[in-house]
Amino acid sequence: MARARRAFLRRLVPLGAWLIAGLLFLLRWTTRTRLINDGGLYERWRAGERLIVAFWHEQLVLMPCFGWWPRVCIMISQHRDGELIARAVRPLGIEAVRGSSTRGSRGALRQILRAYQEGASLAWTPDGPRGPRRVAKTGVIHTARATGAMIVPIGAAARWHRRLGSWDRMILPWPGSRLVFVVGTPIRVAHEVTPAEVEKARATLETELERVRVEADRLLAAAGDGT
């Protein structure tokens, strides 16, 4: 019975991914976005620079509405819902590798480094895939050290949305909602760093991600209907 149930759920993955991809396209087409202080992000991308874009896991659904992306690759959980998400974001031009800080980490890190070497920027949720919520882990710091890429923190907020009851309280924006994105201060990580310096960079990233998250919420609230 359990095997039959797993097989049935596997057959539902393509359909579920198609539905999620359709929803993401709908959100991209109908939401109204405002970008605050892009910090030269698009200029760097247009110049061919590869970056690491970091944001909290709860903002994952908002990010496809961010605007123009170059080739980008993101790490997705190895859990069943990870396969669903990986398939769903593919039509939006977002590549995914499967892994996490607890399962498949070495293999996933090799894949994401390979994607970077082949020309992709990276998208990273430092508190993913299972939390704790809004607590940055060091994986992105080590990746920045290995690649030399700059980490760009981004905060996002949606006026009309629902929060899931998941560990991250993920934000699901409604179609037609107003969105605000705030780009934070970029972070460089030297190739040669001590454990203390890794922790300092991690704490700096965590603080900056919280700052831009709060700023996005504040700007959206202050703008009212004129966002």
Side-chain angles (χ1 to χ4, degrees):
M1 180 65 71
R3 182 178 299 176
R5 181 173 180 273
R6 286 195 296 270
F8 175 72
L9 290 175
R10 280 196 298 271
R11 288 195 294 270
L12 287 180
V13 167
L15 175 60
W18 181 84
L19 291 173
I20 293 173
L23 175 60
L24 292 175
F25 273 115
L26 177 64
L27 292 173
R28 178 182 280 185
W29 290 332
T30 63
T31 51
R32 293 162 289 172
T33 64
R34 179 184 176 194
L35 175 61
I36 307 298
N37 178 34
D38 77 352
L41 179 63
Y42 289 117
E43 183 179 349
R44 292 176 184 276
W45 270 334
R46 283 191 291 267
E49 184 174 350
R50 290 162 293 168
L51 304 169
I52 301 175
V53 176
F55 47 91
W56 289 138
H57 198 275
E58 67 195 75
Q59 299 166 347
L60 187 60
V61 177
L62 301 178
M63 296 314 293
C65 304
F66 181 69
W68 176 80
W69 293 79
R71 180 184 172 193
V72 64
C73 182
I74 188 171
M75 187 180 295
I76 300 292
S77 168
Q78 284 192 325
H79 293 79
R80 186 185 301 134
D81 56 353
E83 174 65 18
L84 191 65
I85 295 170
R87 290 189 182 214
V89 299
R90 197 173 299 151
L92 284 85
I94 301 173
E95 303 170 32
V97 300
R98 306 291 305 284
S100 71
S101 59
T102 54
R103 298 178 61 190
S105 58
R106 290 186 179 180
L109 183 58
R110 283 196 297 269
Q111 290 181 61
I112 209 164
L113 289 176
R114 186 180 304 119
Y116 178 85
Q117 292 164 358
E118 293 173 352
S121 284
L122 307 180
W124 209 286
T125 55
D127 59 339
R130 296 293 172 183
R133 184 187 185 208
R134 299 176 185 167
V135 175
K137 299 170 186 171
T138 58
V140 65
I141 305 300
H142 290 297
T143 301
R145 179 191 61 79
T147 61
M150 181 183 294
I151 303 173
V152 181
I154 296 179
R159 179 173 302 285
W160 305 328
H161 67 274
R162 177 187 176 189
R163 281 194 180 267
L164 298 183
S166 53
W167 67 267
D168 60 350
R169 302 295 311 283
M170 181 172 283
I171 302 168
L172 294 184
W174 298 116
S177 179
R178 301 177 188 273
L179 308 181
V180 168
F181 294 93
V182 178
V183 178
T185 303
I187 298 169
R188 285 279 190 192
V189 181
H191 183 67
E192 299 295 335
V193 288
T194 65
E197 289 169 332
V198 168
E199 171 56 25
K200 181 179 179 180
R202 185 209 65 81
T204 299
L205 175 61
E206 183 174 294
T207 299
E208 187 65 6
L209 283 171
E210 272 298 276
R211 185 187 72 79
V212 292
R213 179 190 67 81
V214 171
E215 181 68 0
D217 284 337
R218 185 190 70 79
L219 290 170
L220 192 61
D225 292 335
T227 301

